[in-house]
Amino acid sequence: MNNRIITISREFGSGGRTIGKKAAEKLGIPCYDREIIEKLALKSGFSKDYIQEESRYAPQGVLALTLADRKNGLTNQDKIWAIQHDIICQIAESEACVIVGRCADYILHDKADCLRVFIHANIEKRAERIVKEYGEQEQLPLQRLKNKDKHRAAYYQFYTDMKWGKAQNYHISLDSGEIGIEQCAEILKQLY
Amino acid sequence: MNNRIITISREFGSGGRTIGKKAAEKLGIPCYDREIIEKLALKSGFSKDYIQEESRYAPQGVLALTLADRKNGLTNQDKIWAIQHDIICQIAESEACVIVGRCADYILHDKADCLRVFIHANIEKRAERIVKEYGEQEQLPLQRLKNKDKHRAAYYQFYTDMKWGKAQNYHISLDSGEIGIEQCAEILKQLY
């Protein structure tokens, strides 16, 4: 694959998606995020909501995921993972772009010329951001964040066998709460 | 403390010290690295070699460090840590600067306005670099790196109770092998 790709992994509420979109705009390349879920829905037959909620956050701990559903072969998560793998490879093959989430960093690791990015922020700043972006919910913001973080880390570790948020897995990790969304996007543009 | 400080934690052989010096030059502020060891030697009575080798890499696993020497009170490492703590606070109090290593990120965490940086690179690039910088040694480069990494991580975790190399502990983490020494220094200058 000859296209240069930016992959963005991010903590929930860190603004990683916005940073990806801004960097892509500055560079004049597309940014794939929700589009991947739409492609996944089309190819897999699962609904977008199911893919967004279940496939991403389903693992209730790696051990449970390993033992619970596999007696009957592949789980839904495994099937979605396989299709997601193909979709991400096809996107990277077809054009230079930014890809947000969905373990694209791992999937493209040895296949494409990637700038691997991790975006994080402290939990208070993320709490403030999710309330502003998604509104209040029954569950308190800090609890929502802890849940999402836990599930993302478990999902990432299960499918990639790597530690989520370990600096050494990425070319650059940025604290968007400290550095700001705009400057993060600017740095990515420069590095690309 | 009103001075803006850059603290640099780094993997051995990643060029973190060179990046610190280059960023400091660009910003016209001093960079503290070996100077801290000289101050430590002066204040503690230990030799520079002892401080450099023993205090930094002594912990042979956290448990051993915890159990072995403490029956007689503070270990030499503890004494050096206490003096190092004071020296780093004094430096940060006195001027804006770059401080490389010695857990300055943790020591100044709640005391100074810091840009906390982590520099890393893949082990092959670091192996190449240490042979170029420090020459061949009896122990093979990859083995030297694994040893140093292990000891730095144990030392950091023991004294700070935080995980070394976890992206969330830093404002920015950079892969110097991918991004290059010069561009890493330039990014730090911009962020400062």
Side-chain angles (χ1 to χ4, degrees), chain A residues 11 120 165 168 170-171 173 175, chain B residues 11 120 168 170-171 173 175:
Chain A
E11 289 185 327
H120 56 92
Q168 288 92 332
Y170 309 95
H171 296 133
S173 303
D175 179 337
Chain B
E11 289 185 328
H120 56 91
Q168 288 91 332
Y170 309 95
H171 296 131
S173 304
D175 180 337

Side-chain angles (χ1 to χ4, degrees), chain A residues 4 11 113-114 118 120 163-168 170-175 178-179 183 187 190-191, chain B residues 4 11 113-114 118 120 163-168 170-175 178-179 183 187 190-191:
Chain A
R4 176 101 165 128
E11 289 185 327
D113 174 21
C114 289
F118 182 67
H120 56 92
K163 203 137 185 86
W164 192 66
K166 188 179 169 189
Q168 288 92 332
Y170 309 95
H171 296 133
I172 180 165
S173 303
L174 295 166
D175 179 337
E178 178 78 8
I179 294 170
Q183 197 163 9
I187 291 173
Q190 282 176 36
L191 279 185
Chain B
R4 176 99 164 128
E11 289 185 328
D113 174 21
C114 288
F118 182 67
H120 56 91
K163 202 133 186 92
W164 192 67
K166 189 179 168 189
Q168 288 91 332
Y170 309 95
H171 296 131
I172 179 165
S173 304
L174 295 166
D175 180 337
E178 179 78 9
I179 294 170
Q183 196 163 11
I187 291 172
Q190 282 176 36
L191 280 183

Side-chain angles (χ1 to χ4, degrees), chain B residues 7-147:
Chain B
T7 61
I8 298 191
S9 307
R10 78 286 184 221
E11 289 185 328
F12 183 59
S14 68
R17 185 195 299 147
T18 312
I19 291 168
K21 290 213 178 299
K22 279 185 185 274
E25 263 171 41
K26 285 172 191 279
L27 291 162
I29 58 177
C31 176
Y32 288 93
D33 168 32
R34 296 214 169 97
E35 298 79 1
I36 296 176
I37 293 171
E38 279 164 29
K39 282 174 193 274
L40 261 171
L42 210 66
K43 270 205 162 185
S44 68
F46 292 114
S47 77
K48 283 192 272 183
D49 282 353
Y50 180 81
I51 291 168
Q52 184 126 33
E53 289 310 313
E54 292 304 311
S55 80
R56 239 162 146 177
Y57 306 121
Q60 302 291 334
V62 169
L63 190 65
L65 184 73
T66 313
L67 299 177
D69 305 324
R70 286 198 160 64
K71 60 185 184 297
N72 301 318
L74 292 181
T75 63
N76 287 351
Q77 287 79 29
D78 292 341
K79 290 174 200 158
I80 291 171
W81 172 263
I83 300 172
Q84 171 174 323
H85 185 283
D86 291 349
I87 290 172
I88 285 173
C89 288
Q90 280 162 19
I91 291 172
E93 182 81 69
S94 72
E95 59 186 338
C97 61
V98 176
I99 303 177
V100 179
R102 318 255 15 138
C103 302
D105 55 335
Y106 173 77
I107 291 171
L108 297 174
H109 190 262
D110 54 354
K111 296 183 186 70
D113 174 21
C114 288
L115 177 68
R116 293 197 301 277
V117 180
F118 182 67
I119 305 290
H120 56 91
N122 79 30
I123 201 160
E124 289 78 18
K125 292 211 173 140
R126 292 192 288 135
E128 213 175 280
R129 190 178 163 86
I130 62 168
V131 171
K132 218 168 93 185
E133 290 274 311
Y134 309 111
E136 297 279 357
Q137 290 187 8
E138 199 183 336
Q139 203 181 29
L140 290 172
L142 286 183
Q143 201 49 52
R144 281 159 70 194
L145 284 170
K146 281 178 188 160
N147 260 340

